[in-house]
């Protein structure tokens, strides 16, 4: 009967425990209209805010900012294709699809998502490497496609001589086809990584990208971009360097071939840079008076295109031009899964950097304009801004600071402005794209280089960074140097590892101090930092300002021994040596006096009196400890006790106390807690002095 009762009660207990889980599971899989509506509005925020759109209040600002950003976006989209190593049409596709998708899924009202110079550079390095490994010539002018080779992405037959091709997804693929296929594959993978980061809530990864590290990375990448584009300014036809050391090797190649400079491109570049810089300076100086940004890039592109067309600069002077840009859209194509193992690692930094820039810009402008964003939804949005366009011959996108600032300064209210920008790009795709045939590549390079002004100006901030924080300045310099001199991907890795190493170094070598009492108060502060402090008599108060764990326990012990001036093991060794020496002298003296019982001599040795009888460890600046830290505390208590010194803990956090209790630092059932742990330093000192008075005065060995 008892066994049956036990079975009944246990089964009831199991059913009671399982019923809440079953109900939660049932609620999770139940499909209802409110749940569908909530999921839909969560996944597509546009469904929530668009019906509440205040037409009269918002439409003017959204239309103006959308038009202006679209006008800026068109020349940049064409120009950044030079960085990405693909044809100009694909930059327009990327900008169009990214704006549409973010309009539907983004939670930020101001962020402009689309083509971005840093992303284009990173994609371009992957594209050039794979194109080179596939056997194609990286010299842009060296090959012309043949009539019997079909370019699967552009959709028309090409003319020329015999050209190297590769078979990809059942068709012969030329250089341009292979380049955009690689770009689409790495973009698809980057988007998949971002979606997985959103699903598994891995947004915390971005916290390891510190501000100085990101600034150094952006500056180093900007210097790399400038280097890669410098050949276009001079009209030099040299291939992009593959592997590490792009910046030094490229400059060596430029100076080696400087005698081949195309004067037409050089003069055009000088004129365009002068106009673009002048326009930017006027914009910066009179930004309070100018209601809209000056469309300097569009003016330069239009003027340069007309000059190149009517002056026949390509035919007469051999100036490189953009070439034919087809109108309309290419049929979608599934990314080449066979190529993805080759670029799987390359997609990781692309995913992390794209996500980090997008979320940080979203949060920055949301805080500025008084609303909130959902970082996880932002990760989903930017992930789908990469996955979906990869089927439509696009490459990796991200939020762009410059265009986002333009949107914010021109009255943008919602993501309707992104829809307007997409319409501007669509108009170019359908109508105006062929008119850019004669646009010189050096003009596009000028647009890219001038857009780097902000990042390159960071060099002027280095002295100020050094004054504010040497650690941050060193992180900036190391990351920038690694990015510029080695490679962009390794620069990012070096920056993350070095910045984290600096934090570890700080915890291994933290600030330590002895504390003194502020007159007639219960407060204790650093004796070196503050004046008019009184050290407590015969008590040493030691503060360690870092976590105590396996990597810095030795540093903790060394700093403590140095601060108090007594290392227990050495002190005990000295006393034993002195005792042994005294015993030997007593034996000699007894022998000299002719005493018979030499072996029975007893030596009474008074211990060396120390300047203190207690060490109080101020743990207020120790956020946590591990098992090694707890063992260090145990060792200190034991070793100092052997030389007659007590060790007390004060101001411990609850986290530290919990770990000490679990490790039985206070004895079984915490029996010694009241004599080892105190809420304040002052309470510990009062206890130490009262305990010292109650001790017997004789301390004879």
């Amino acid at each position: 009967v008892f066994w049956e009762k036990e079975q009944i009660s246990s089964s009831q207990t199991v059913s009671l425990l399982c019923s809440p889980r079953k109900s939660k599971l049932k609620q999770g899989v139940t499909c209802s209209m409110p749940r569908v509506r909530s999921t839909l509005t969560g996944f597509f925020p546009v469904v929530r805010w668009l019906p509440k759109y205040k037409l009269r209040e918002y439409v003017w600002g959204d239309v103006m900012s959308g038009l202006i950003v679209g006008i800026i976006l068109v020349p940049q989209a064409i120009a950044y294709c030079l960085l990405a190593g693909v044809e100009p049409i694909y930059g327009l596709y990327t900008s169009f699809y990214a704006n549409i998708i973010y309009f539907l899924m983004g939670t930020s009202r101001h962020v402009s998502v689309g083509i971005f110079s840093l992303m284009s550079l990173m994609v371009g390095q992957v594209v050039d490497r794979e194109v080179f490994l596939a056997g194609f010539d990286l010299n842009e002018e060296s090959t012309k496609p043949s009539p019997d080779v079909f370019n699967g992405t552009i959709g028309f037959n090409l003319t020329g001589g015999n050209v190297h091709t590769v078979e990809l997804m059942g068709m012969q693929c030329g250089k341009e086809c292979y380049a955009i296929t690689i770009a689409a594959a790495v973009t698809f993978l980057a988007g998949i990584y971002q979606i997985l980061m959103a699903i598994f809530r891995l947004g915390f990864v971005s916290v390891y990208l510190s501000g100085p590290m990101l600034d150094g990375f952006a500056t180093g990448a900007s210097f790399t971009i400038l280097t890669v584009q410098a050949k276009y300014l001079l009209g030099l036809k040299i291939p992009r360097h593959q592997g590490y050391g792009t910046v030094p090797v490229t400059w060596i190649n430029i100076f080696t071939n400087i005698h081949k400079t195309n004067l037409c491109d050089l003069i055009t570049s000088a004129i365009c840079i002068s106009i673009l810089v002048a326009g930017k300076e006027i914009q910066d100086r009179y930004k309070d008076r100018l209601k809209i940004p000056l469309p300097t890039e569009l003016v330069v592109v239009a003027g340069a295109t007309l000059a190149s067309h009517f002056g026949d600069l390509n035919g007469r002077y051999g100036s490189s031009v953009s070439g034919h840009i087809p109108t309309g859209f290419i049929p979608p194509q599934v990314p080449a899964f066979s190529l993805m193992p080759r670029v799987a690692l390359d997609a990781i930094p692309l995913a992390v950097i794209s996500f980090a820039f997008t979320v940080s810009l979203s949060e920055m402008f949301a805080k500025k304009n008084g609303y909130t964003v959902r970082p996880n939804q932002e990760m989903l949005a930017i992930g789908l801004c990469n996955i979906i366009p990869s089927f439509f011959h696009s490459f990796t996108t991200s939020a762009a600071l410059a265009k986002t600032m333009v949107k914010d300064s021109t009255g943008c209210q919602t993501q309707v402005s992104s829809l307007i920008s997409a319409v501007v790009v669509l108009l170019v795709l359908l109508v105006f794209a062929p008119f850019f045939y004669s646009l010189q590549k050096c003009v596009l390079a000028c647009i890219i280089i001038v857009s780097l002004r902000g990042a390159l100006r960071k060099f002027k901030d280095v002295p100020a960074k050094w004054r504010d924080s040497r650690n941050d300045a060193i992180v900036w310099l190391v990351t920038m140097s690694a990015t510029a001199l080695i490679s962009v991907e390794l620069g990012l890795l070096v920056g993350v590892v070095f910045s984290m190493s600096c934090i570890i170094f700080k915890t291994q070598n933290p600030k330590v101090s002895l504390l003194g009492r502020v007159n007639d108060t219960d407060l204790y502060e650093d004796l070196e930092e503050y004046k008019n402090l009184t050290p407590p008599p015969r008590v040493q108060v030691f503060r360690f300002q870092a976590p105590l764990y396996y990597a810095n326990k030795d540093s903790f012990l060394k700093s403590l021994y140095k601060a108090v001036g007594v290392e227990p093991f050495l002190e005990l060794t000295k006393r034993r040596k002195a005792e042994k020496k005294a015993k030997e002298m007593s034996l000699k003296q007894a022998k000299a006096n002719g005493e018979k019982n030499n072996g029975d001599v007893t030596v009474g040795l008074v211990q060396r009196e120390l300047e203190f009888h207690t060490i109080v460890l101020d743990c207020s600046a120790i956020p946590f400890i591990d098992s090694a830290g707890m063992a260090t505390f145990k060792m200190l208590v034991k070793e100092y006790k052997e030389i007659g010194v007590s060790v007390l803990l004060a101001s411990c956090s609850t986290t530290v106390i919990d770990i000490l209790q679990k490790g039985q630092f206070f004895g079984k059932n915490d029996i010694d807690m009241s004599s080892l742990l105190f809420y304040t330093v002052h309470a510990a000192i009062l206890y130490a002095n009262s305990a010292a008075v109650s001790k017997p005065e004789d301390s004879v060995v």
Side-chain angles (χ1 to χ4, degrees):
V1 174
F2 176 77
W3 176 251
E4 288 179 356
K5 286 182 179 179
E6 283 293 318
Q7 278 190 323
I8 292 168
S9 62
S10 62
S11 63
Q12 288 175 344
T13 303
V14 170
S15 64
L16 287 171
L17 289 172
C18 291
S19 58
R21 296 178 183 176
K22 287 181 179 178
S23 62
K24 287 183 179 179
L25 184 62
K26 187 177 180 180
Q27 289 176 1
V29 299
T30 300
C31 183
S32 61
M33 282 306 297
R35 189 170 184 82
V36 170
R37 190 181 300 111
S38 174
T39 303
L40 187 64
T41 56
F43 199 67
F44 295 102
V46 66
V47 177
R48 181 178 300 171
W49 61 261
L50 191 59
K52 302 176 184 178
Y53 188 79
K54 299 177 182 178
L55 188 64
R56 293 184 178 179
E57 186 177 345
Y58 293 165
V59 69
W60 176 248
D62 283 342
V63 170
M64 283 299 297
S65 63
L67 286 173
I68 293 166
V69 170
I71 291 169
I72 295 172
L73 188 59
V74 169
Q76 286 190 354
I78 298 173
Y80 289 161
C81 288
L82 289 180
L83 289 173
V86 297
E87 294 297 301
I89 188 67
Y90 304 123
L92 296 172
Y93 289 158
T94 302
S95 301
F96 174 74
Y97 289 115
N99 276 284
I100 294 291
I101 295 168
Y102 193 81
F103 162 76
L104 297 172
M105 302 191 65
T107 58
S108 173
R109 303 175 192 172
H110 296 84
V111 161
S112 176
V113 172
I115 199 165
F116 182 40
S117 59
L118 181 54
M119 296 294 103
S120 301
L121 173 68
M122 295 174 74
V123 169
Q125 290 184 329
V126 178
V127 167
D128 281 359
R129 184 194 70 210
E130 293 301 321
V131 165
F132 177 76
L133 293 175
F136 292 102
D137 192 340
L138 292 182
N139 193 339
E140 299 166 4
E141 306 296 329
S142 62
T143 59
K144 296 288 183 182
S146 64
D148 56 341
V149 176
F150 181 75
N151 189 322
T153 59
I154 296 181
F156 54 83
N157 290 334
L158 302 167
T159 60
N162 189 25
V163 179
H164 173 66
T165 63
V166 295
E167 186 174 348
L168 192 64
M169 295 187 292
M171 67 178 183
Q172 292 298 314
C173 196
K175 179 181 173 182
E176 291 79 9
C177 166
Y178 194 73
I180 190 57
T181 305
I182 290 290
V186 74
T187 298
F188 178 83
L189 279 178
I192 292 294
Y193 292 155
Q194 289 167 335
I195 295 295
L196 291 175
M197 289 169 67
I199 292 173
F200 293 107
R201 308 282 179 174
L202 297 179
F204 69 89
V205 172
S206 64
V207 303
Y208 297 106
L209 306 177
S210 65
M213 192 278 294
L214 279 177
D215 280 347
F217 176 70
T219 306
S222 298
F223 195 70
T224 305
I225 293 170
L226 185 149
T227 300
V228 170
Q229 297 303 300
K231 65 178 182 179
Y232 295 108
L233 301 184
L234 303 174
L236 298 177
K237 297 175 175 60
I238 53 177
R240 187 186 294 188
H241 172 69
Q242 296 301 304
Y244 303 131
T246 297
V247 170
V249 172
T250 301
W251 283 112
I252 290 171
N253 289 337
I254 287 173
F255 285 111
T256 303
N257 294 276
I258 195 87
H259 60 282
K260 299 178 183 178
T261 298
N262 187 306
L263 290 178
C264 177
D265 283 344
L266 179 61
I267 294 170
T268 303
S269 300
I271 295 171
C272 290
I273 288 177
S274 301
I275 295 172
L276 289 167
V277 170
K280 297 292 183 184
E281 291 296 328
I282 293 171
Q283 178 68 43
D284 293 342
R285 183 170 297 183
Y286 300 103
K287 59 183 177 181
D288 296 331
R289 300 182 186 179
L290 296 172
K291 294 183 179 180
I292 61 173
L294 297 174
T296 317
E297 290 92 347
L298 186 64
V299 172
V300 168
V301 166
T305 303
L306 291 172
S308 176
H309 175 72
F310 290 106
D312 190 19
L313 301 184
N314 176 246
R316 295 171 63 184
Y317 304 106
S319 180
S320 296
V321 296
S322 299
H324 177 66
I325 303 177
T327 56
F329 289 90
I330 301 167
Q333 186 176 5
V334 177
F337 292 100
S338 61
L339 295 175
M340 289 182 187
R342 302 169 65 96
V343 296
L345 290 178
D346 299 297
I348 295 174
L350 276 169
V352 173
I353 293 297
S354 172
F355 152 71
F357 273 103
T358 302
V359 172
S360 60
L361 282 178
S362 299
E363 292 180 341
M364 181 174 72
F365 282 90
K367 185 177 181 181
K368 178 183 177 183
N369 291 279
Y371 62 93
T372 58
V373 294
R374 289 183 287 142
N376 213 55
Q377 178 62 25
E378 288 295 300
M379 203 158 16
L380 281 172
I382 197 63
L384 288 174
C385 281
N386 286 320
I387 291 175
I388 296 174
S390 68
F391 288 82
F392 296 90
H393 319 287
S394 302
F395 52 92
T396 314
T397 58
S398 169
L401 176 60
K403 291 188 283 290
T404 301
M405 292 180 67
V406 169
K407 288 181 72 171
D408 183 54
S409 63
T410 51
C412 173
Q413 299 293 330
T414 67
Q415 281 298 326
V416 170
S417 61
S418 294
L419 197 61
I420 302 298
S421 299
V423 171
V424 174
V425 176
L426 178 63
L427 192 63
V428 174
L429 277 169
L430 296 178
V431 180
F432 296 109
F435 293 102
F436 294 105
Y437 178 91
S438 299
L439 179 60
Q440 294 165 270
K441 289 183 178 180
C442 65
V443 177
L444 300 177
C446 292
I447 293 172
I448 294 172
I449 290 172
V450 173
S451 70
L452 303 175
R453 286 166 64 250
L456 295 175
R457 280 178 173 175
K458 297 284 185 181
F459 284 103
K460 291 170 35 178
D461 300 335
V462 174
K465 286 180 184 291
W466 185 263
R467 288 193 299 269
D468 295 341
S469 172
R470 291 188 177 183
N471 181 70
D472 288 350
I474 292 171
V475 169
W476 186 93
L477 287 168
V478 169
T479 308
M480 186 276 299
S481 302
T483 304
L485 299 178
I486 305 174
S487 73
V488 175
E489 293 80 4
L490 275 182
L492 177 63
L493 180 62
V494 168
V496 171
V497 172
F498 185 78
S499 60
M500 293 181 70
S501 300
C502 289
I503 300 299
I504 295 172
F505 178 78
K506 275 188 173 182
T507 62
Q508 286 183 314
N509 298 275
K511 181 175 175 56
V512 297
S513 53
L514 290 176
L515 307 186
R517 184 181 180 185
V518 180
N519 294 335
D520 300 326
T521 67
D522 297 344
L523 302 177
Y524 291 80
E525 286 299 340
D526 190 343
L527 286 167
E528 294 182 356
E529 298 290 339
Y530 295 90
K531 297 179 180 179
N532 302 322
L533 298 181
T534 305
R538 296 184 60 76
V539 176
Q540 299 276 24
V541 184
F542 179 77
R543 177 184 288 168
F544 185 78
Q545 301 183 32
L548 181 58
Y549 64 111
Y550 69 93
N552 67 354
K553 62 183 180 63
D554 293 333
S555 174
F556 169 80
L557 291 173
K558 288 178 183 178
S559 57
L560 174 63
Y561 296 154
K562 183 178 180 181
V564 301
V566 175
E567 187 172 345
F569 177 76
L570 295 179
E571 179 66 21
L572 198 61
T573 303
K574 287 179 183 177
R575 292 183 182 184
R576 286 172 179 168
K577 286 182 178 179
E579 180 183 355
K580 183 178 180 181
K581 186 176 181 180
K583 187 174 181 179
E584 290 175 353
M585 291 180 65
S586 298
L587 287 171
K588 287 180 180 179
Q589 187 177 1
K591 188 176 182 181
N593 294 334
E595 295 182 9
K596 295 181 179 179
N597 299 324
N598 294 337
D600 297 333
V601 176
T602 302
V603 179
L605 177 63
V606 179
Q607 294 181 357
R608 182 171 73 93
E609 186 174 357
L610 301 175
E611 296 178 356
F612 57 92
H613 53 70
T614 303
I615 297 174
V616 176
L617 300 178
D618 178 10
C619 301
S620 60
I622 300 178
F624 68 87
I625 63 172
D626 65 355
S627 58
M630 182 185 63
T632 302
F633 279 163
K634 285 183 177 180
M635 185 192 70
L636 283 176
V637 172
K638 179 183 176 183
E639 291 187 351
Y640 273 107
K641 187 177 181 179
E642 291 177 351
I643 61 172
V645 175
S646 301
V647 177
L648 308 178
L649 307 183
S651 304
C652 293
S653 66
T654 54
T655 305
V656 173
I657 294 173
D658 288 343
I659 294 172
L660 293 175
Q661 286 180 313
K662 290 175 183 176
Q664 295 188 344
F665 175 78
F666 305 112
K668 192 174 182 180
N669 297 323
D670 298 332
I671 191 172
D672 297 326
M673 179 178 278
S674 60
S675 60
L676 288 174
L677 180 66
F678 299 88
Y679 285 109
T680 64
V681 171
H682 190 64
I685 291 174
L686 293 178
Y687 175 84
N689 288 328
S690 63
V693 170
S694 63
K695 279 184 181 179
E697 301 242 347
D698 117 266
S699 49
V700 177
V701 175

